[in-house]
Amino acid sequence: MKIEDIKRVLILGAGTMGQQIGLQCAMHGYDVVFYDLSQEILDKALRRIAKLGSWYVSSGRLTEENLRQTLARISATPDPEKAAQDVDLISESVPEDPELKGKVFARFHKLCPERTIFTTNTSMLVPSMFAEATGRPEKLVAFHFHDLRANNIADVMPHPGTAPEVTKLVRDFAVSIGQIVILLHRENSGYVFNTMLSSLFSSALTLASRNVASIEDIDRSWMGVMHTSMGPFGIMDQVGISTVWTITDYWAKKTGDAQAQANADFLKGYVDKGHLGFKTNQGFYSYPNPAYTLQDFLSDAGKKKK
């Protein structure tokens, strides 16, 4: 299969990242179908996609006509057989559990055409963890996106069994939807940027779970020195606390690291309360106007308001 043969893209998982990826593909002329467990989940996702598209219009990334055409290319179904019909490429964004990812791919292996390429948007796992379970390991490659609202960096990471032509095809596809491709030569948990980011998250969580400093002061330290618009806890709110917890807990249990487990338990307290970050309007900060966006957050006056 060549890049010009890719017409239809299936998004497995209609969460925030799945929504962004699907919209990005549709913006660049691909037909997109979303699959998730219920029509209720899908309807909510489609509303959010339309809202995101409207924001793109307001920021000049799309015209009203472009948006109309883009949304017309997007459909959604909770029926796996219908979702898999005539699909050329899958982008998977289900929770960070290798067993779950393997089961989801195995199901669609039976339903999709033989030509269909499987890609995973996993943040911290590597595709070899579930490649054999997919049923077509040679057609599986990690194709990872960051926040598409803010950047256009995408990682393409094959596993040892990925066919070279599949890696090239996915790289070409990434370019076709406006991405700057970071091509990894070998598997690496966290790719390039996330490897660096996870170290920041781990350090920040260790400071907070050990009560060395408050969440706000940890963020103030980073923001004040690095001159960034948010600190590690603000970033975790944007990523999603449940996602950070899943990854942290998985690796804590796999390595037996006591501090990593303490960090995971710290995150679990927020998850149990339903405080998942930006998407629930409550995480380490309250949204839509988190404290770190206030003009005096880095000043003593901002600290006294706390």
Side-chain angles (χ1 to χ4, degrees):
M1 186 161 58
K2 299 178 181 179
I3 183 63
E4 54 267 27
D5 298 322
I6 298 180
K7 308 292 184 184
R8 186 173 174 86
V9 178
L10 170 59
I11 308 295
L12 297 181
T16 300
M17 279 310 304
Q19 294 163 28
Q20 291 188 22
I21 295 166
L23 180 59
Q24 187 75 15
C25 293
M27 284 167 57
H28 286 80
Y30 294 96
D31 291 328
V32 174
V33 57
F34 283 89
Y35 169 81
D36 215 310
L37 297 176
S38 72
Q39 191 62 50
E40 181 182 2
I41 292 172
L42 292 167
D43 288 344
K44 187 176 181 180
L46 291 175
R47 289 193 295 271
R48 288 181 171 175
I49 290 168
K51 185 176 180 180
L52 177 59
S54 295
W55 181 76
Y56 281 177
V57 170
S58 68
S59 61
R61 291 173 63 172
L62 285 174
T63 66
E64 288 284 359
E65 178 61 18
N66 292 152
L67 178 59
R68 185 189 66 77
Q69 294 172 352
T70 294
L71 295 179
R73 298 186 190 103
I74 297 174
S75 61
T77 177
D79 181 341
E81 291 187 14
K82 185 176 179 182
Q85 187 175 356
D86 207 28
V87 164
D88 300 305
L89 184 142
I90 287 178
S91 174
E92 167 270 312
S93 290
V94 304
E96 291 286 86
D97 179 335
E99 184 175 353
L100 174 62
K101 289 179 185 291
K103 287 180 179 178
V104 170
F105 273 127
R107 184 180 193 186
F108 279 89
H109 169 63
K110 297 177 181 177
L111 300 174
C112 287
E114 184 179 349
R115 70 178 184 276
T116 307
I117 301 299
F118 286 2
T119 76
T120 175
N121 186 48
T122 178
S123 296
M124 294 299 292
L125 305 178
V126 292
S128 61
M129 289 179 170
F130 46 91
E132 290 301 324
T134 68
R136 54 181 80 184
E138 75 286 354
K139 288 186 170 71
L140 173 69
V141 64
F143 182 23
H144 172 258
F145 295 82
H146 300 271
D147 188 341
L148 284 158
R149 296 167 299 180
N151 66 72
N152 63 335
I153 297 292
D155 304 289
V156 174
M157 180 175 71
H159 66 92
T162 305
E165 60 270 23
V166 170
T167 302
K168 182 182 184 303
L169 180 61
V170 173
R171 183 190 181 283
D172 291 346
F173 178 76
V175 172
S176 79
I177 59 171
Q179 300 303 290
I180 297 170
V181 180
I182 308 300
L183 182 62
L184 278 76
H185 301 150
R186 57 182 296 176
E187 284 188 312
N188 183 68
S189 173
Y191 308 93
V192 177
F193 178 79
N194 278 1
T195 295
M196 297 183 285
L197 186 64
S198 64
S199 295
L200 173 63
F201 285 177
S202 177
S203 297
L205 287 166
T206 296
L207 290 168
S209 66
R210 295 176 60 198
N211 198 28
V212 172
S214 69
I215 285 170
E216 292 82 2
D217 274 353
I218 295 168
D219 275 2
R220 284 188 182 98
S221 179
W222 186 265
M223 293 167 65
V225 173
M226 298 301 295
H227 303 287
T228 60
S229 61
M230 66 181 73
F233 287 98
I235 299 172
M236 282 186 258
D237 271 355
Q238 298 298 318
V239 171
I241 294 175
S242 58
T243 297
V244 181
W245 168 72
T246 300
I247 295 167
T248 305
D249 190 63
Y250 174 82
W251 286 106
K253 287 181 168 53
K254 188 175 181 64
T255 62
D257 187 312
Q259 183 57 59
Q261 190 60 61
N263 293 347
D265 294 343
F266 178 81
L267 290 164
K268 186 65 159 53
Y270 287 84
V271 173
D272 289 345
K273 294 176 184 176
H275 295 175
L276 307 183
F278 175 77
K279 64 183 178 182
T280 60
N281 291 325
Q282 181 64 55
F284 298 115
Y285 296 92
S286 297
Y287 296 85
N289 300 304
Y292 59 78
T293 63
L294 302 180
Q295 190 172 4
D296 61 0
F297 182 69
L298 294 180
S299 71
D300 283 341
K303 293 189 69 173
K304 288 175 183 176
K305 286 182 180 179
K306 182 176 178 292

